[in-house]
Amino acid sequence: MSKFKEDIQDALSCIQSGQTILVGGFGLVGAPLTLIDGLIQKDVKDLTIVSNNLGESGKGLGALLNQNKIKKGIGSYFTSNRDVGDKYQKGEIELELLPQGTLSESIRAGGAGLGGYYTTTGVGTDLAIGKEEREIDGVKYIFEKSIFADVALIRAYKADRLGNLVYYKTARNFNPIMATAAKNVIVEVDEVVEPGELNPEEVITPQIFVNTIVEAKQILTKEGVVSK
Amino acid sequence: MSKFKEDIQDALSCIQSGQTILVGGFGLVGAPLTLIDGLIQKDVKDLTIVSNNLGESGKGLGALLNQNKIKKGIGSYFTSNRDVGDKYQKGEIELELLPQGTLSESIRAGGAGLGGYYTTTGVGTDLAIGKEEREIDGVKYIFEKSIFADVALIRAYKADRLGNLVYYKTARNFNPIMATAAKNVIVEVDEVVEPGELNPEEVITPQIFVNTIVEAKQILTKEGVVSK
Amino acid sequence: MSLIKDKNEMKHLIAKRVAKELKGSLTVNLGIGIPTLVPEYLESDDIQLHTENGLLGVTDVAEEDIDPNLVNAGKLPVGESIGASYFNSSDSFAMIRGGHVDVAILGALQVDQTGIIANWAVPGKNIMGVGGAMDLLVGAKKVIVTMSHTSKDGSSKILKKCTYPITSTRSVDMIITELAVFKVVDKQLQLVELMPGSTLKEVEEKTEANFTYVEE
Amino acid sequence: MSLIKDKNEMKHLIAKRVAKELKGSLTVNLGIGIPTLVPEYLESDDIQLHTENGLLGVTDVAEEDIDPNLVNAGKLPVGESIGASYFNSSDSFAMIRGGHVDVAILGALQVDQTGIIANWAVPGKNIMGVGGAMDLLVGAKKVIVTMSHTSKDGSSKILKKCTYPITSTRSVDMIITELAVFKVVDKQLQLVELMPGSTLKEVEEKTEANFTYVEE
């Protein structure tokens, strides 16, 4: 069975208004720009987006933001897009700020079926307000809940038709953990290969996590994002 | 700087009586048989060994067990070595039994600097006795503490001299997570290569985790364990 | 009276019946014992076998290709399929506990009439091993139990209540023995099929648990 | 009076001084800003640079070799060293939080006289980004803060108490500005070195925090 789909809207058909969507990438690097573009074309609203950033101004998730489709953003560094601050000031978006390690760990925990965990990160800071504090073996920790979403939109380098994935350099970032933490996982890739072409020792995301594969048509280059 | 050491006892010089030691492997598969053999030669006692099994009868950690050097075993499946049961009956060893997923997750949590986590595994069973139960979003979980040790003895396939590691087939198992969860991490490998010979995309254990590398001299073959 | 001649035949009969449940594209984890015989009878090409020691894409292996470093959770030699992948133990159990494995096929010592199983410890004996059983019970989307219907002494293993320590508070979905196939629906046992040569009377005699008979 | 002509020169002066602290075999995480200039001045060949977006073994990159998919935490193009490795974000922060990174070099908005820093939020402005700062503060074995000694308006950034939200309850180990090098010992600031052209009098005038002067 091949998980490859030609049509982007077909691949995104599981997405509905009000859902929580994980979106891979560190800024635009490793972001699923083709799938985000598909989301921009699609008639949905009230999305909760979990992503390290909300893109850059007008680019990537930044374009989705400007369509007012994002009800809430959960991330670690919204500063990379000044529009986020403007919308927040106007009360047009809710934001939940998490330390980057907590964001990534909560997503991993969600994918691993854990309810939550205790971390030292953030203890005694404003980001710990309202969070349970607990001392374990003399060290203070705060409780963080896991994150599990309806959909994950991620980017990889190569996929075989079964859905095994490998990544490319620092475009890996949040993508492999997001692949584990959503009911529907949709990946865009530069290249689709036959099963057997990826070395089983080198597969980063086993196919068990992947529902749908599409070909990347928006590519990040030195000159910015270009359409393929 | 090369982390390679020729002499096994030199590599094991950090180990002292009373310490907690993680030992990789699933039964004998992926177990650091050379380092275990070194531990058998070494004058230490009262060790707490964290390992999925305590080897097989008289083999691997089973030989260390028979020397009465193990005060406590923490693992998920001691059944593979009948000597463990005999010693437990006689009160010669303490045992802590954990579900395999909890054992592996606690080790990973220790390496990741977490204090503990909530898992569904074991809820309502005898292995949850004495453990905190907590409901999160309507699901029952129990609290499990993380595990962090003094030393980890692990096995990999190849290391570069910096300590980057790759593994071989199902001999990977607990080794990569144990590499993250001890103050001193000692690895035995089939082959030591120069930095640059391992593809950065395919490194499983980054060198940051590894303190010492030795060459494997006890090898698991179809015919059993042989000395190289 | 069942027509089964020996224990081996019984195991294969059960494994063959389990295989009929595995249709379409599924990821399946196989426990030790009877479950390991299931692949011989699989009809779908699209079943991916998961073993919790770190491999997705388990296959049989020919004697001459045995690799001592390539084994399943029962430490028996296996092969790797085209499109397989290796991972560490915590990632493997993240797959299981996180709900990514479709079906787990497990052995059991006892099952009760609500579908709760006991398969890791016997009172009075040392509690020595649990392995991945508890993780699979909480994590797999569907759990099928395979076992002989009765103990060596002829007593029922399908009980009103387990006398051995339970593995999970989660009920399994299906129980397949050499005599019968039960489904667990709303925490109640439904006998849905008699195995070849078995009769309703025999199943009733050899089952302590309450169950209903639903012809499907 | 400091002899520094411009901001760029100040940054390089600080970066050069930081580099002197990095001896032997170390894993070092570099924050955004001044810390990214440190590699130019490293003397040890055995420093491995970590960037939290998923690379151990960061190097400089020549203009013609820039790869848009190979960047540091500041999203600036970098190269990969011989012996480098890539990993995902949760594994990267497991390294940081788990205490596997030897040194973190960070910028700060304010430091107090116990070595507590504030570097992620300004009251009255939207709290918009924290990134990896809190993780590095709790996880790195040693933390060195680099910053200009005073704000644009000339006011001290080394205060009795931070007025901005703190990043962690953990004190940093060292503060390096264009005027002075402080060590934090037992939650107290020790001025251990005056930077070129700086005087004790100038440091005293421009530092609100209490500190002792310890000639090393």
Side-chain angles (χ1 to χ4, degrees):
Chain A
M1 192 203 62
S2 171
K3 294 174 180 171
F4 181 75
K5 287 192 177 172
E6 198 68 50
D7 184 72
I8 303 296
Q9 288 306 320
D10 184 23
L12 296 176
S13 61
C14 62
I15 297 183
Q16 292 166 22
S17 292
Q19 285 186 330
T20 297
I21 304 181
L22 308 178
V23 183
F26 185 81
L28 300 180
V29 179
L33 299 169
T34 311
L35 293 169
I36 292 169
D37 195 54
L39 210 47
I40 287 164
Q41 311 301 323
K42 192 176 164 86
D43 183 23
V44 280
K45 58 179 183 177
D46 292 335
L47 301 175
T48 294
I49 300 290
V50 182
S51 193
N52 192 54
N53 323 83
L54 289 177
E56 297 178 6
S57 183
K59 291 181 194 166
L61 287 171
L64 195 72
L65 176 83
N66 292 346
Q67 287 185 305
N68 295 315
K69 285 178 176 169
I70 305 179
K71 191 181 72 173
K72 183 177 179 180
I74 300 174
S76 94
Y77 202 75
F78 299 118
T79 320
S80 56
N81 181 357
R82 57 183 157 70
D83 300 339
V84 179
D86 295 345
K87 287 223 179 281
Y88 183 71
Q89 290 281 15
K90 292 183 202 155
E92 291 174 2
I93 188 169
E94 294 168 55
L95 294 177
E96 183 176 344
L97 190 68
L98 295 171
Q100 201 168 320
T102 299
L103 176 66
S104 57
E105 190 65 26
S106 291
I107 295 166
R108 184 200 167 275
L114 305 175
Y117 59 93
Y118 288 96
T119 178
T120 47
T121 300
V123 169
T125 72
D126 285 359
L127 294 190
I129 292 170
K131 290 177 180 173
E132 177 208 341
E133 189 175 295
R134 176 172 183 159
E135 202 169 298
I136 302 169
D137 295 340
V139 178
K140 281 182 186 166
Y141 296 85
I142 51 173
F143 176 68
E144 295 283 358
K145 271 178 72 168
S146 60
I147 294 174
F148 193 85
D150 299 296
V151 179
L153 304 181
I154 65 166
R155 193 184 203 293
Y157 175 39
K158 288 184 190 179
D160 68 22
R161 284 178 192 280
L162 296 167
N164 290 302
L165 305 179
V166 295
Y167 298 85
Y168 180 79
K169 300 195 187 281
T170 57
R172 187 184 301 193
N173 57 64
F174 285 85
N175 289 298
I177 49 171
M178 288 182 170
T180 71
K183 279 185 220 108
N184 263 294
V185 176
I186 308 165
V187 58
E188 66 177 83
V189 297
D190 288 309
E191 200 181 337
V192 180
V193 301
E194 292 305 313
E197 289 190 45
L198 302 178
N199 181 342
E201 303 275 10
E202 293 158 15
V203 167
I204 300 298
T205 295
Q207 51 97 353
I208 193 172
F209 295 114
V210 175
N211 297 91
T212 307
I213 304 162
V214 303
E215 199 191 329
K217 286 166 187 166
Q218 304 279 316
I219 314 282
L220 182 66
T221 69
K222 265 167 133 168
E223 287 72 36
V225 179
V226 299
S227 294
K228 191 173 161 184
Chain B
M1 191 203 61
S2 171
K3 294 175 179 169
F4 182 75
K5 286 192 178 172
E6 198 68 49
D7 184 72
I8 303 293
Q9 288 306 321
D10 184 23
L12 296 175
S13 62
C14 62
I15 297 182
Q16 292 166 24
S17 292
Q19 285 184 331
T20 297
I21 305 182
L22 308 178
V23 182
F26 186 80
L28 300 180
V29 179
L33 299 169
T34 311
L35 294 168
I36 293 169
D37 194 55
L39 210 48
I40 287 163
Q41 311 300 324
K42 192 177 163 86
D43 183 23
V44 281
K45 58 179 183 178
D46 292 335
L47 301 175
T48 294
I49 300 289
V50 183
S51 193
N52 192 54
N53 324 82
L54 289 176
E56 297 178 7
S57 182
K59 291 182 194 167
L61 288 170
L64 195 72
L65 176 82
N66 293 346
Q67 288 185 306
N68 296 314
K69 285 177 175 170
I70 306 178
K71 190 182 73 175
K72 183 176 179 181
I74 301 174
S76 94
Y77 202 76
F78 299 119
T79 319
S80 56
N81 181 355
R82 57 183 156 70
D83 301 339
V84 179
D86 295 345
K87 288 221 178 281
Y88 183 72
Q89 290 280 16
K90 292 183 201 156
E92 291 174 2
I93 188 169
E94 294 168 56
L95 293 177
E96 183 177 343
L97 189 67
L98 295 171
Q100 201 169 320
T102 300
L103 177 66
S104 57
E105 190 64 26
S106 290
I107 295 165
R108 183 198 169 276
L114 305 176
Y117 59 93
Y118 288 97
T119 178
T120 47
T121 301
V123 169
T125 73
D126 285 358
L127 294 190
I129 292 171
K131 290 177 180 173
E132 177 208 340
E133 190 175 294
R134 176 172 183 159
E135 201 169 300
I136 302 169
D137 295 339
V139 178
K140 281 183 185 166
Y141 297 85
I142 52 173
F143 176 68
E144 296 282 359
K145 271 178 71 168
S146 60
I147 293 174
F148 193 84
D150 299 297
V151 179
L153 305 180
I154 65 165
R155 194 184 201 295
Y157 175 39
K158 289 185 189 178
D160 68 22
R161 286 180 190 280
L162 295 168
N164 290 303
L165 306 179
V166 296
Y167 299 84
Y168 180 79
K169 301 195 186 279
T170 56
R172 187 184 301 193
N173 56 64
F174 285 85
N175 289 298
I177 50 171
M178 288 183 169
T180 71
K183 280 185 218 105
N184 264 293
V185 176
I186 309 166
V187 58
E188 66 178 83
V189 297
D190 288 309
E191 199 181 338
V192 181
V193 301
E194 292 305 314
E197 289 189 45
L198 302 177
N199 180 343
E201 303 275 10
E202 293 158 14
V203 168
I204 301 297
T205 295
Q207 51 97 354
I208 193 172
F209 295 114
V210 175
N211 297 91
T212 307
I213 304 161
V214 303
E215 199 191 330
K217 285 165 188 167
Q218 305 279 318
I219 313 283
L220 182 66
T221 69
K222 263 168 133 169
E223 287 72 38
V225 180
V226 299
S227 294
K228 191 173 160 184
Chain C
M1 180 77 187
S2 169
L3 302 171
I4 295 165
K5 295 184 210 84
D6 61 29
K7 210 169 167 183
N8 193 46
E9 194 184 327
M10 177 195 84
K11 287 178 178 177
H12 278 270
L13 185 77
I14 295 171
K16 194 173 170 184
R17 180 59 189 82
V18 171
K20 280 176 66 180
E21 294 297 317
L22 306 176
K23 284 169 192 154
S25 175
L26 294 171
T27 303
V28 180
N29 181 290
L30 300 177
I32 301 173
I34 300 173
T36 59
L37 303 174
V38 172
E40 290 183 39
Y41 301 102
L42 286 179
E43 283 160 31
S44 167
D45 285 342
D46 226 13
I47 305 289
Q48 292 279 342
L49 299 176
H50 175 272
T51 184
E52 59 261 38
N53 53 320
L55 169 60
L56 180 63
V58 178
T59 63
D60 282 344
V61 64
E63 179 68 28
E64 63 271 24
D65 295 328
I66 285 177
D67 183 330
N69 287 306
L70 181 45
V71 301
N72 65 15
K75 299 187 182 104
L76 298 172
V78 294
E80 70 182 36
S81 69
I82 291 169
S85 54
Y86 293 97
F87 30 83
N88 69 46
S89 299
S90 82
D91 286 346
S92 185
F93 280 93
M95 282 180 195
I96 292 170
R97 218 178 24 226
H100 307 287
V101 172
D102 296 305
V103 185
I105 303 169
L106 298 170
L109 301 168
Q110 299 179 332
V111 191
D112 81 7
Q113 62 191 21
T114 69
I116 301 277
I117 72 164
N119 76 343
W120 67 285
V122 178
K125 297 197 182 178
N126 290 319
I127 297 172
M128 285 298 162
V130 60
M134 289 188 180
D135 302 284
L136 285 160
L137 255 295
V138 300
K141 286 180 199 150
K142 181 175 182 176
V143 177
I144 301 175
V145 163
T146 62
M147 61 177 193
S148 61
H149 206 96
T150 54
S151 302
K152 280 178 199 164
D153 66 2
S155 62
S156 178
K157 289 164 74 173
I158 305 178
L159 304 168
K160 291 194 191 300
K161 199 168 163 43
C162 292
T163 58
Y164 296 173
I166 63 169
T167 307
S168 172
T169 56
R170 176 245 176 102
S171 296
V172 301
D173 299 277
M174 201 167 212
I175 304 154
I176 301 180
T177 77
E178 76 281 17
L179 299 182
V181 178
F182 295 92
K183 280 189 181 171
V184 184
V185 179
D186 298 332
K187 294 228 156 204
Q188 296 188 314
L189 296 194
Q190 292 183 349
L191 173 64
V192 294
E193 189 179 318
L194 293 167
M195 292 288 276
S198 164
T199 62
L200 178 58
K201 186 158 177 291
E202 185 179 5
V203 174
E204 281 173 342
E205 281 168 10
K206 294 182 173 174
T207 306
E208 184 197 294
N210 294 326
F211 63 88
T212 54
Y213 186 21
V214 180
E215 268 179 293
E216 286 201 319
Chain D
M1 180 75 188
S2 168
L3 303 170
I4 295 164
K5 296 184 210 86
D6 60 30
K7 211 169 166 184
N8 191 47
E9 193 184 327
M10 177 195 84
K11 288 179 178 176
H12 278 270
L13 186 77
I14 295 171
K16 193 173 171 183
R17 180 57 190 81
V18 171
K20 280 177 67 181
E21 294 297 317
L22 305 176
K23 283 169 191 154
S25 176
L26 293 171
T27 303
V28 180
N29 181 291
L30 300 177
I32 302 172
I34 298 173
T36 58
L37 303 173
V38 172
E40 291 183 38
Y41 300 102
L42 286 179
E43 285 161 29
S44 168
D45 287 341
D46 227 13
I47 305 289
Q48 291 279 344
L49 298 177
H50 175 272
T51 185
E52 59 261 38
N53 52 319
L55 168 61
L56 180 62
V58 177
T59 63
D60 280 346
V61 64
E63 179 67 28
E64 63 271 24
D65 295 327
I66 285 176
D67 182 330
N69 287 306
L70 181 45
V71 302
N72 66 15
K75 300 188 182 102
L76 297 172
V78 294
E80 71 182 35
S81 69
I82 291 169
S85 54
Y86 293 97
F87 30 82
N88 70 46
S89 299
S90 80
D91 285 346
S92 185
F93 281 92
M95 284 182 194
I96 292 171
R97 216 177 28 224
H100 307 286
V101 171
D102 296 306
V103 185
I105 304 169
L106 299 170
L109 301 168
Q110 299 180 331
V111 191
D112 80 8
Q113 61 191 22
T114 69
I116 300 277
I117 72 165
N119 77 344
W120 67 285
V122 178
K125 297 196 181 179
N126 290 321
I127 296 174
M128 285 299 162
V130 61
M134 289 188 179
D135 301 284
L136 285 159
L137 255 294
V138 300
K141 287 179 198 150
K142 181 176 181 175
V143 177
I144 301 175
V145 162
T146 61
M147 62 176 193
S148 61
H149 206 96
T150 53
S151 303
K152 279 179 199 163
D153 66 3
S155 63
S156 178
K157 289 164 73 173
I158 305 179
L159 304 168
K160 291 192 190 303
K161 199 167 163 44
C162 292
T163 59
Y164 296 172
I166 63 170
T167 307
S168 172
T169 56
R170 176 246 177 102
S171 296
V172 302
D173 298 275
M174 201 167 211
I175 304 152
I176 301 180
T177 77
E178 76 281 18
L179 299 181
V181 178
F182 294 93
K183 280 190 179 168
V184 183
V185 180
D186 298 332
K187 294 229 157 201
Q188 295 187 314
L189 296 194
Q190 292 182 349
L191 173 63
V192 294
E193 190 180 319
L194 294 166
M195 293 287 276
S198 165
T199 63
L200 179 57
K201 186 159 177 291
E202 186 179 4
V203 174
E204 281 172 341
E205 281 169 9
K206 294 182 174 173
T207 306
E208 184 196 295
N210 293 326
F211 62 89
T212 55
Y213 186 20
V214 180
E215 266 178 293
E216 285 200 321

